[in-house]
């Protein structure tokens, strides 16, 4: 109940108590009025005819009814007050999740992976960070090996990896939206996961833009064929998923076609890894002040500072030794990529909290889902594409 209803119940209680007091006064006055004029009873105890005697039993029954109403109103008011108190100060649910730049405070918003989103059996958590670290390291090495092989050995392998990661990411998010009672047609998502990366490889930014618009129209048509009920939420979810995953990830293939594209992509991925690694180390050691307690309570300002400093050092070295550019260009690139990576972490945390889940899936042992590993990379790649072009232009001008 609302506070207005509680106030109404309290007013009803006061009125009932006032009514009960008034009834007692009326009964007392009536007894005082009739008591002196009541004729005496005969020896058998019978009243004289024509005289109505007050019935105390009726008054007692009425008073009992008023008291019952007053007690009931008081109980209702107490229940409403207790409910309002619980609603105003909810107890945080238990969570075993750990973000990279942790503060040690309990994460009050994350929940376990719903059973319908589990793939196989849930893995045991074997570390303080709530992750199976050996499995996480093994999966990370395999993913990094595939990307590096696609960058420097066989370019089609990188294209295939982008398509596969886009498709799996779309599948995970589309499944997660069902937990929020929103059904998303998956065929347009898979079409976008294939069409957008291929357009980036065979064309340029304009081709990628036209393909993106075409995929949005296909998603709209698919949803309209299923009826209008829930269409708005479904279409908006489709647009969000296509924009978030295939579109942003395709910018990596646009960078691949530029000068030193392989080394630029490697540098940006290295900066994303450095952001997570240094943020984790510094956050665990000295993290005390959360950046956004309502979104991700375990990401601290100290961890963010560690991410920034470590990424700048890595970026300066990479620009000098890999790309033959001034060291300060690496510092600027690291500044923006660290901000983008942190924003990407927060963005996925907001989505998961909105859906009421902890991880998108348990597809990757020790990591969660594909999207739990791509969250920061998705924002870093397009911003890195833009900043790298601006830095190359500024170096050429200077």
């Amino acid at each position: 109940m609302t506070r207005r209803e509680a106030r109404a119940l309290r007013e009803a209680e006061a009125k009932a108590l006032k009514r009960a007091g008034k009834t007692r006064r009326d009964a007392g006055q009536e007894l005082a009025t009739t008591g002196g004029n009541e004729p005496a009873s005969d020896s058998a105890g019978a009243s004289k005819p024509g005289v109505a005697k007050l019935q105390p039993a009726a008054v007692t029954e009425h008073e009992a009814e008023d008291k019952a109403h007053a007690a009931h109103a008081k109980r209702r008011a107490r229940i409403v007050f207790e409910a309002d108190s619980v609603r105003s100060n909810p107890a945080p649910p238990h969570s075993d999740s750990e973000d990279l730049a942790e503060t040690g405070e309990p994460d009050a918003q994350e929940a376990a992976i719903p059973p319908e989103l589990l793939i196989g059996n849930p893995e045991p958590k074997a570390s303080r960070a709530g992750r199976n670290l050996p499995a996480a390291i093994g999966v990370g090495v395999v993913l990094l090996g595939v990307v590096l092989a696609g960058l420097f050995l066989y370019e089609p392998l990188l294209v295939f990896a982008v398509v596969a990661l886009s498709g799996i990411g779309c599948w995970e998010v589309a499944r997660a939206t069902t937990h929020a009672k929103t059904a998303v047609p998956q065929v347009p998502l898979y079409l976008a996961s294939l069409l957008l990366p291929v357009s980036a490889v065979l064309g340029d930014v304009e081709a990628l833009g036209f393909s993106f618009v075409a995929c949005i129209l296909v998603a709209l048509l698919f949803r309209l064929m299923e009826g209008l009920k829930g269409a708005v939420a479904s279409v908006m979810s489709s647009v969000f998923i296509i924009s978030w995953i295939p579109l942003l990830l395709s910018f990596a293939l646009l960078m691949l076609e530029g000068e030193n594209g392989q080394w630029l992509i490697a540098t940006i991925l290295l900066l994303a890894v450095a952001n997570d690694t240094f943020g984790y180390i510094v956050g665990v050691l000295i993290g005390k002040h959360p950046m956004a307690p309502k979104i991700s309570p375990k990401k601290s300002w100290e961890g963010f500072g560690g991410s920034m400093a470590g990424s700048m050092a890595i970026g300066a070295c990479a620009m000098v030794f890999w790309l033959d550019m001034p060291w300060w260009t690496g510092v600027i690139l690291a500044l923006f990529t660290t901000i983008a990576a942190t924003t990407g972490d927060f963005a996925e945390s907001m989505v998961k909290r909105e859906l009421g889940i902890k991880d998108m899936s348990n597809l990757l042992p020790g990591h969660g889902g594909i999207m739990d590993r791509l969250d920061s990379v998705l924002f870093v790649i397009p911003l890195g594409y833009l900043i790298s072009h601006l830095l190359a232009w500024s170096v050429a001008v200077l």
Side-chain angles (χ1 to χ4, degrees), residues 224-260:
L224 290 178
M225 289 188 296
E226 297 181 3
L228 296 178
K229 185 178 180 180
V232 175
S234 179
V235 171
M236 295 303 295
S237 298
S238 298
V239 173
F240 171 73
I241 295 172
I242 294 174
S243 304
W244 186 23
I245 306 173
L247 178 63
L248 297 184
L249 204 57
S250 297
F251 277 89
L253 301 178
L254 289 177
M255 284 190 290
L256 189 63
E257 301 303 321
E259 184 179 359
N260 294 326

Side-chain angles (χ1 to χ4, degrees), residues 144-219:
L144 181 61
V146 172
V147 172
L148 292 178
L151 282 175
F152 299 104
L153 298 178
Y154 189 60
E155 184 175 315
L157 180 60
L158 180 63
V159 178
F160 174 78
V162 171
V163 172
L165 292 175
S166 297
I168 297 174
C170 290
W171 171 73
E172 285 183 346
V173 179
R175 289 174 69 245
T177 57
T178 60
H179 189 61
K181 311 302 180 184
T182 301
V184 178
Q186 297 190 20
V187 174
L189 304 182
Y190 301 143
L191 176 63
S193 300
L194 176 62
L195 183 59
L196 296 184
V198 172
S199 299
V201 172
L202 301 181
D204 50 14
V205 177
E206 289 80 5
L208 180 61
F210 282 116
S211 300
F212 171 71
V213 174
C215 292
I216 295 300
L217 293 176
V218 171

Side-chain angles (χ1 to χ4, degrees), residues 15 22 31 99 124 145 166 187 193 203 206 211 233 246 277 297 320 355 375:
K15 291 180 179 179
K22 184 178 179 180
L31 286 173
D99 289 324
S166 297
V187 174
S193 300
E206 289 80 5
S211 300
T277 303
V320 171
L355 298 177
D375 50 2

Side-chain angles (χ1 to χ4, degrees), residues 133-147 273 364-367 373:
L133 288 183
I137 294 173
V139 170
V141 170
V142 171
L143 292 177
L144 181 61
V146 172
V147 172
V273 173
L364 299 179
H367 288 270
R373 297 304 94 201

